[in-house]
């Protein structure tokens, strides 16, 4: 309370007011009362002088001056008209000089009454003098009554003291009132201040208490206004918090990496995807130059060009080594200015590893296809040229040439058909031609196609159907081709006297089509690769047998497109086993 400036101001105002009151009153007393009191004193003295003079006349000059003086409560002097002092109550009259020239005596001799105020030469103090006589009677002495002016002064100083006492009382009462007023004014102000301080500290509900008191008081309106400001601020803060939470969750949940960088290339903000893609934590990235963490010339160039380019610019970079190499694309938006006037750019980080892999696969495929097509085409061209060079006319020789041309043409046809199958199976996974069907008759029908060929190659075909119908939702044509490829390989790679067993069975909600042979088998290191396109363990043998190297690749795609799996087991010289498993339906 004592530190309140309001209190000190009120006290100062009070003090100044009291001092002004004292000064004005003082001036009034000095200028007005002083004269009145003086006049009063003089009038009083005049009547005392007249009374004493009357007593003197009645007594015929024989009076007891001391007695008169006592009754008049004044100094009384009797003076002869020639100025000689006859008697004096306060001094020895005979020793006193002639009083004829005293102004009051002169005046009394002319007008009967004379007044004066001056320092008495006899008593050495300021006195009021009143002299009375009868101007017409030359025998009558002059009676003079005198009193010290101190009497008036004493009354004045008594008044002044009274005034000072009043001023003191006013000061005390005023200070008390100032304290009270301060307390009355301060308490709502303190509440408002507390509420405002609470608001600045983020406690927006601090204004609630103000709202409760808002009903009345001089500060009610202010408190109500502060409360509504608090409510609005709270609403706004809630809105902003909601928006920033939304933005943060969007940023966190997008699959692309996002980095906010400033004009110097320092990272201001990263999202989760960015930390995952770059393999660095937010703490490692934020607040540091991106270049420090990603020491790739491409990143350096990108950051350097940020300020100059208008449209988005991008770079690709490889992170990691070996099998874990990832290809990232970083797209940078042009610099923009934030609300705070800072320059920022958003870097978008995308994982292009899969795109890069698919692109590489496409390129490899085109190269492989071209290579595969080239061989039979070169052969055909060579045979045709030989024929044109004269062999055409050699009736015995042209037969085998034409045969070779036909074989190569057939190989080409098979290749092109397998390539078309592969690209179709690798393309869009939508397959409307699927239907629920029993696998037993499907496999049996395919197997029947090989009966003649197997007999010719002296390979035994064994068929073990599932004991009950094995229903699955399949594309008849694709699955038939897959089973055909498996049986074709089994028959192809099994020497005379061997056996190929085809089985359909059901276990754990899966149907299995197994093709086992007692053929040449596949070396352990080649086994995982036989499903790759154009992979052949023995190229020459495969070609000689009319293989394209795409058969097992087609089988794998068909199995996967049906939500199934393909597995292979093999032992060189003993045989191989291929199993397609499909979900039962
Ligand atoms: P191809 O047209 O050459 O048979 P595939 O994709 O069908 O092509 O098979 C790839 C390679 O896997 C074959 O070249 C062959 O070396 C090997 N292979 C496939 N099936 C068998 C099998 N049943 N026995 C031995 N080797 C096989």
């Amino acid at each position: 309370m004592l530190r309140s400036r309001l209190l000190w101001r009120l006290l100062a105002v009070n003090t100044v007011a009291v001092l002004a009151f004292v000064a004005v009153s003082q001036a009034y007393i000095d200028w007005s009362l002083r004269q009145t009191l003086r006049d009063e004193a003089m009038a009083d003295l005049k009547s005392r002088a007249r009374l004493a003079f009357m007593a003197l006349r009645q007594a015929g000059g024989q009076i007891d001056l001391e007695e008169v003086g006592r009754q008049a409560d004044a100094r009384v002097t009797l003076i002869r008209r020639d100025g000689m002092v006859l008697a004096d109550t306060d001094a020895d009259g005979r020793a006193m000089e002639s009083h004829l020239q005293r102004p009051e005596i002169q005046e009394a001799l002319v007008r009967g009454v004379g007044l004066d105020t001056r320092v008495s030469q006899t008593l050495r103090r300021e006195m009021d003098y009143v002299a009375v006589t009868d101007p017409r009677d030359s025998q009558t002495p002059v009676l003079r009554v005198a009193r010290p002016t101190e009497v008036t002064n004493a009354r004045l100083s008594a008044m002044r003291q009274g005034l000072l006492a009043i001023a003191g009382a006013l000061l005390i009462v005023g200070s008390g009132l100032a304290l009270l007023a301060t307390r009355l004014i301060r308490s709502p102000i303190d509440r408002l201040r507390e509420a405002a301080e609470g608001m600045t500290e983020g406690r927006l509900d601090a204004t609630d208490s103000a709202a409760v008191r808002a009903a009345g008081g001089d500060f009610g309106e202010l408190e109500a206004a502060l409360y509504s400001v608090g409510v609005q601020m709270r609403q706004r803060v809630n809105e902003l918090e909601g928006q920033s939470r939304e933005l943060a969750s969007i940023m966190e949940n997008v699959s692309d990496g996002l980095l906010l960088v400033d004009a110097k290339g320092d990272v201001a903000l990263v999202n989760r995807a960015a930390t995952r893609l770059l393999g660095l934590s937010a703490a490692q990235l934020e607040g540091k130059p991106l270049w420090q963490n990603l020491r790739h010339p491409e990143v350096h160039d990108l950051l350097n060009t940020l300020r100059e380019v208008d449209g988005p610019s991008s770079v690709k970079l490889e992170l990691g080594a070996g099998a874990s190499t990832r290809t990232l694309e970083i797209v940078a938006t042009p610099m923009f200015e934030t609300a705070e006037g800072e320059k920022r750019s958003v870097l978008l980080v995308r994982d292009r590893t899969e795109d890069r892999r698919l692109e590489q696969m496409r390129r490899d495929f085109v190269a492989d296809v071209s290579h595969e097509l080239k061989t039979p085409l070169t052969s055909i061209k060579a045979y045709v040229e030989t024929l044109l060079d004269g062999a055409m006319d050699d009736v015995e020789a042209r037969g085998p040439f034409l045969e070779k041309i036909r074989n190569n043409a057939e190989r080409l046809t098979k290749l092109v058909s397998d390539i078309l199958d592969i690209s179709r199976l690798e393309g869009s996974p939508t397959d409307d031609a699927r239907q629920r069907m029993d696998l037993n008759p499907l496999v049996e029908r395919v197997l029947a196609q090989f009966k003649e060929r197997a007999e010719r190659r002296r390979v035994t075909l064994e068929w073990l159907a599932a004991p009950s119908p094995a229903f699955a939702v399949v594309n008849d044509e694709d699955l038939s081709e897959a089973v055909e490829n498996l049986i074709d390989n089994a028959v192809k790679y099994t020497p005379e006297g061997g056996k190929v067993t085809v089985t359909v069975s059901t276990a754990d909600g899966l149907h299995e089509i197994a093709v086992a042979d007692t053929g040449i088998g596949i070396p352990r290191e080649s086994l995982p690769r036989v499903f790759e396109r154009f992979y052949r363990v023995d190229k020459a043998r495969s070609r000689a047998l009319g293989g394209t190297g795409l058969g097992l690749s087609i089988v794998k795609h068909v199995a996967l497109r049906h939500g199934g799996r393909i597995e292979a087991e093999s032992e060189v010289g003993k045989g191989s086993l291929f199993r397609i498993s499909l979900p039962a339906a």
Side-chain angles (χ1 to χ4, degrees), residues 195-205 207 225-241:
E197 278 173 4
M199 281 163 78
T200 56
E201 282 163 17
R203 283 185 290 113
L204 296 177
D205 53 353
T207 49
L226 190 66
Y227 172 68
S228 73
V229 166
V231 169
Q232 278 172 22
M233 272 173 75
R234 189 165 39 200
Q235 276 172 359
R236 195 85 194 96
V237 166
N238 285 347
E239 268 172 41
L240 287 174
E241 276 177 358

Side-chain angles (χ1 to χ4, degrees), residues 485-486 488-490 492-494 517 519-522 530-532 535-538 542-543 546-553 570 575-576 578:
N485 285 350
L486 286 181
D488 180 54
N489 280 348
K492 230 165 33 179
Y493 299 110
T494 301
D517 65 56
I520 57 168
I522 302 163
V530 290
F531 297 104
E532 286 176 22
Y535 182 80
R536 284 161 284 198
V537 178
D538 182 341
S542 161
R543 263 200 210 122
T548 59
L550 290 171
L552 285 181
S553 191
S570 187
S576 312
F578 287 86

Side-chain angles (χ1 to χ4, degrees), residues 444-471:
E444 196 176 4
R445 193 185 66 227
V446 175
L447 189 65
Q449 296 167 19
F450 288 91
K451 207 171 167 232
E452 215 176 293
R453 217 171 107 199
E455 270 170 17
R456 214 171 42 234
R457 295 177 58 96
R458 283 180 224 283
V459 171
T460 315
L461 287 185
E462 192 179 9
W463 164 230
L464 298 170
S468 45
F471 280 106

Side-chain angles (χ1 to χ4, degrees), residues 64 102 273 282 287 294 303 348 358 368 414 438 465 500 560:
D64 180 356
R102 299 289 195 269
L294 284 180
L303 292 172
L348 200 70
L358 289 175
D368 288 344
K414 175 90 172 89
D438 185 3
V500 171
L560 292 180

